[in-house]
Amino acid sequence: MITLEHVSFRYPSGLLALNNIDLNIQGGDFVAIMGENGAGKTTLAKQMNGLLKPSQGRVLVDDQDTKKVSVAQLARKVGLVFQNPDHLLFSETVKDEVAFGLKNFGYQPEVVEKQVERTLEALGLTEYKDTSPFLLSGGERKRVALASILASEPDYLILDEPTIGQDYLQKERLRNFILQLYSQGKAVVMITHDVEFVAESNPKVILLSKGEIVATGSADSVLSKDELVTRVSLVKPQMSRLFGTLSRYGLPRDVVDVHRARMLLEEKLSEAKATVP
Amino acid sequence: MLTPALLFASVWVMIILLAFQIPLLFMGRVARRWALSLRAGIFLSALIFVVNYFTGSIFSAIALTLRFLVLLTAFSLFFMTTSPDDLGLALDRIGAVRWLSRKWLGYPNALSFTFTTAVRLVPTLAVDAQTVVDAQRSRGLELDKGNLFRRIRNYIPILIPLLLIAIRRSLELAEALESRGFPGKEGRTSLFQLKLKASDYAVISVSAVAILLSIWVFLHYKVPVF
């Protein structure tokens, strides 16, 4: 379990990036952290694997205070995938890139090879295993970056803007992959601006604004509220905008995803059909 | 400052120069940042001291270490109080720079523009460097692990992404510049016009006198190390 207790963080420049954050993340959780630019989302992610230590309060990863353990030790448990793959890709081949973390953690060569193959397979990258990561497209590079973290099977996975630069098919695959991970008992934390992706995946949503948590709840309860969504510079998902105008027909306002929308509309339409002679 | 510091390897000269520089640091409100660059220079000054102590005397070691500090302070003073934009504008006004730039690069303001761009990319690159270090540490990289050789190798995963980011950014910058019509026509004007004020003339004359005086002293007297 990752526990943040009254965490505040001030950058050396004096900027208060996080203000009194309390948060719990455990296996099987799927959490989306959303908020305006500069709200402190990435700072919060860096607190979870010890890259940044809280100025006040404390962060515990499986009951270990992040101030007392090295980032390398924490990285075995907490995998943080950075937003821009260009900040981490450096190897000659995709295979070596994915093996880098495993080697740092001191795994045996056979284990490294097995894990690399499994991860590449899972992310549809096997055909590129001997290609240079720099020859791949932006979306593929992003998947290589994800693979390089996933290969060591961290218990907690933190994704910073995973959907940027991915086409719909890849987003769909990513969603299924995340689903698979948290149903295996791992925790997935996703930092994102992508309201539609969040609406369709239905995680627990945490809204962050100016370094403070302003709302926590299910995607449909948080993303359907105008005042909350506007406060963090987002727009409501399309389904929510549609159902906001349909409430006079007795439909609920808090619908954000296509699946639930379809169920409700089908029900309503069949009722209507029944009453019309 | 630079001329006497380089001409004389004397403890007293260095102390006098430092005595001139320190009030300037406070006048320019850069004393705190200077202290930071001083901290970064500690290792190098220790090295200079040790090397000169074993090759010369204790006094020459002190003098040369102080010389390093004088040079460091002089450069800090200049770069911390002069904005790179102003420096670029000033370079653009120097006839010799424009002439060289036209001969060499084809446009009179290309050289000063190159300088301004290079200086301006430094802080951006520093932010990228921090992100790359963070990203690799998140993959279990420990920079300060192993023997010296291993430690140098540890920096490969930092340097390669950083280099590629820098190259990619400069190519993008070149495209952006071309799409905005760089270098434009001859006789480009600038929004801010630099003008020499009375205080500028004062600084120039004081510097000129100091340079001439130190050359004169150098030619006629032998200044002892201590």
Side-chain angles (χ1 to χ4, degrees), chain B residues 133-219:
Chain B
V133 170
D134 282 349
Q136 305 299 33
R137 285 178 73 203
S138 304
R139 296 166 82 194
L141 177 72
E142 286 170 288
L143 286 173
D144 42 8
K145 205 171 104 179
N147 56 26
L148 188 67
F149 181 68
R150 175 80 194 276
R151 281 186 196 204
I152 295 170
R153 271 189 48 148
N154 284 347
Y155 276 87
I156 294 175
I158 309 287
L159 293 175
I160 293 177
L162 205 54
L163 206 66
L164 285 164
I165 287 171
I167 293 171
R168 202 169 291 151
R169 177 166 300 137
S170 50
L171 291 176
E172 277 168 15
L173 183 68
E175 281 174 357
L177 281 170
E178 273 183 64
S179 61
R180 292 176 67 180
F182 188 84
K185 284 186 183 153
E186 279 275 333
R188 186 181 127 180
T189 54
S190 156
L191 181 57
F192 301 101
Q193 292 289 341
L194 294 179
K195 258 204 166 112
L196 289 172
K197 285 183 292 195
S199 53
D200 296 314
Y201 285 112
V203 171
I204 293 170
S205 357
V206 170
S207 313
V209 169
I211 290 170
L212 292 175
L213 188 71
S214 40
I215 294 175
W216 186 77
V217 172
F218 179 74
L219 292 175

Side-chain angles (χ1 to χ4, degrees), chain B:
Chain B
M1 292 286 179
L2 295 177
T3 324
L6 292 174
L7 284 180
F8 310 110
S10 153
V11 175
W12 291 114
V13 172
M14 298 306 158
I15 289 176
I16 294 168
L17 288 172
L18 271 177
F20 269 106
Q21 287 177 324
I22 287 167
L24 288 177
L25 284 169
F26 284 98
M27 279 162 68
R29 295 161 204 265
V30 291
R32 194 187 255 173
R33 282 163 67 202
W34 168 74
L36 285 177
S37 53
L38 205 60
R39 215 167 60 186
I42 282 177
F43 176 73
L44 208 56
S45 19
L47 191 73
I48 291 171
F49 184 84
V50 171
V51 169
N52 285 292
Y53 179 72
F54 286 110
T55 55
S57 70
I58 175 84
F59 293 119
S60 71
I62 295 174
L64 290 172
T65 312
L66 284 175
R67 172 190 278 174
F68 171 70
L69 293 181
V70 169
L71 295 181
L72 186 129
T73 313
F75 278 105
S76 308
L77 260 175
F78 182 70
F79 283 104
M80 286 174 185
T81 54
T82 315
S83 90
D85 291 340
D86 286 350
L87 205 58
L89 277 179
L91 273 179
D92 209 30
R93 291 280 296 274
I94 301 172
V97 174
R98 294 179 70 86
W99 178 83
L100 190 70
S101 177
R102 194 202 303 274
K103 280 273 163 212
W104 189 21
L105 299 166
Y107 309 108
N109 49 16
L111 207 58
S112 55
F113 185 82
T114 311
F115 173 81
T116 325
T117 319
V119 173
R120 198 175 291 165
L121 281 182
V122 171
T124 335
L125 210 59
V127 173
D128 280 323
Q130 187 57 51
T131 314
V132 173
V133 170
D134 282 349
Q136 305 299 33
R137 285 178 73 203
S138 304
R139 296 166 82 194
L141 177 72
E142 286 170 288
L143 286 173
D144 42 8
K145 205 171 104 179
N147 56 26
L148 188 67
F149 181 68
R150 175 80 194 276
R151 281 186 196 204
I152 295 170
R153 271 189 48 148
N154 284 347
Y155 276 87
I156 294 175
I158 309 287
L159 293 175
I160 293 177
L162 205 54
L163 206 66
L164 285 164
I165 287 171
I167 293 171
R168 202 169 291 151
R169 177 166 300 137
S170 50
L171 291 176
E172 277 168 15
L173 183 68
E175 281 174 357
L177 281 170
E178 273 183 64
S179 61
R180 292 176 67 180
F182 188 84
K185 284 186 183 153
E186 279 275 333
R188 186 181 127 180
T189 54
S190 156
L191 181 57
F192 301 101
Q193 292 289 341
L194 294 179
K195 258 204 166 112
L196 289 172
K197 285 183 292 195
S199 53
D200 296 314
Y201 285 112
V203 171
I204 293 170
S205 357
V206 170
S207 313
V209 169
I211 290 170
L212 292 175
L213 188 71
S214 40
I215 294 175
W216 186 77
V217 172
F218 179 74
L219 292 175
H220 291 81
Y221 298 92
K222 188 158 170 37
V223 179
V225 172
F226 189 72

Side-chain angles (χ1 to χ4, degrees), chain A residues 1-272:
Chain A
M1 186 154 75
I2 302 183
T3 312
L4 281 81
E5 290 174 356
H6 309 295
V7 170
S8 295
F9 181 76
R10 196 179 282 280
Y11 277 103
S13 65
L15 176 82
L16 185 65
L18 296 175
N19 190 7
N20 204 13
I21 302 275
D22 281 294
L23 192 62
N24 262 317
I25 288 157
Q26 50 193 352
D29 274 354
F30 177 29
V31 180
I33 299 177
M34 310 185 82
E36 76 271 2
N37 290 332
K41 303 184 294 292
T42 303
T43 310
L44 184 61
K46 287 181 181 173
Q47 296 284 344
M48 294 182 192
N49 80 340
L51 280 174
L52 296 173
K53 318 280 183 194
S55 319
Q56 269 161 40
R58 56 181 191 159
V59 180
L60 302 174
V61 176
D62 292 344
D63 297 324
Q64 278 181 310
D65 193 324
T66 56
K67 280 180 185 160
K68 290 177 187 136
V69 252
S70 73
V71 177
Q73 270 171 294
L74 286 169
R76 285 163 169 256
K77 289 181 185 161
V78 187
L80 173 56
V81 186
F82 275 63
Q83 194 177 128
N84 185 351
D86 297 339
H87 281 128
L88 54 89
L89 300 181
F90 73 99
S91 304
E92 275 177 54
T93 64
V94 168
K95 205 169 57 183
D96 291 346
E97 195 66 64
V98 177
F100 176 70
L102 294 164
K103 284 180 188 157
N104 283 333
F105 296 139
Y107 286 100
Q108 297 299 315
E110 317 81 79
V111 182
V112 172
E113 203 172 323
K114 208 184 87 203
Q115 281 302 107
V116 169
E117 259 168 40
R118 271 181 59 173
T119 318
L120 290 179
E121 183 68 48
L123 285 167
L125 290 165
T126 311
E127 55 176 315
Y128 302 119
K129 72 176 182 192
D130 293 314
T131 318
S132 159
F134 303 110
L135 295 176
L136 301 178
S137 75
E140 286 159 349
R141 284 211 295 271
K142 225 169 148 78
R143 271 186 288 147
V144 175
L146 176 62
S148 78
I149 300 291
L150 275 176
S152 60
E153 300 191 339
D155 293 334
Y156 308 94
L157 182 68
I158 307 170
L159 307 166
D160 196 348
E161 295 284 5
T163 58
I164 286 185
Q166 301 286 345
D167 55 35
Y168 270 92
L169 184 67
Q170 289 306 336
K171 281 194 198 183
E172 207 52 49
R173 283 195 186 150
L174 181 70
R175 191 197 335 279
N176 288 330
F177 198 71
I178 291 173
L179 187 84
Q180 212 180 317
L181 284 173
Y182 75 79
S183 56
Q184 282 166 13
K186 300 192 182 285
V188 181
V189 178
M190 172 173 77
I191 293 170
T192 185
H193 281 118
D194 193 336
V195 270
E196 298 297 341
F197 187 78
V198 172
E200 292 305 320
S201 324
N202 200 27
K204 176 179 162 191
V205 177
I206 293 174
L207 284 193
L208 208 61
S209 177
K210 299 189 180 76
E212 287 176 49
I213 293 181
V214 293
T216 312
S218 63
D220 39 6
S221 69
V222 174
L223 291 182
S224 59
K225 293 210 173 64
D226 279 306
E227 68 280 7
L228 286 177
V229 170
T230 327
R231 189 162 166 194
V232 297
S233 310
L234 293 174
V235 286
K236 293 199 294 183
Q238 289 183 353
M239 278 306 139
S240 177
R241 275 182 274 168
L242 178 66
F243 275 76
T245 61
L246 290 180
S247 57
R248 62 195 154 111
Y249 296 103
L251 287 161
R253 281 176 164 273
D254 65 344
V255 178
V256 293
D257 65 297
V258 177
H259 180 69
R260 195 166 152 226
R262 204 193 74 204
M263 305 273 281
L264 285 163
L265 287 177
E266 269 182 357
E267 194 182 308
K268 205 76 192 169
L269 285 173
S270 59
E271 266 174 37

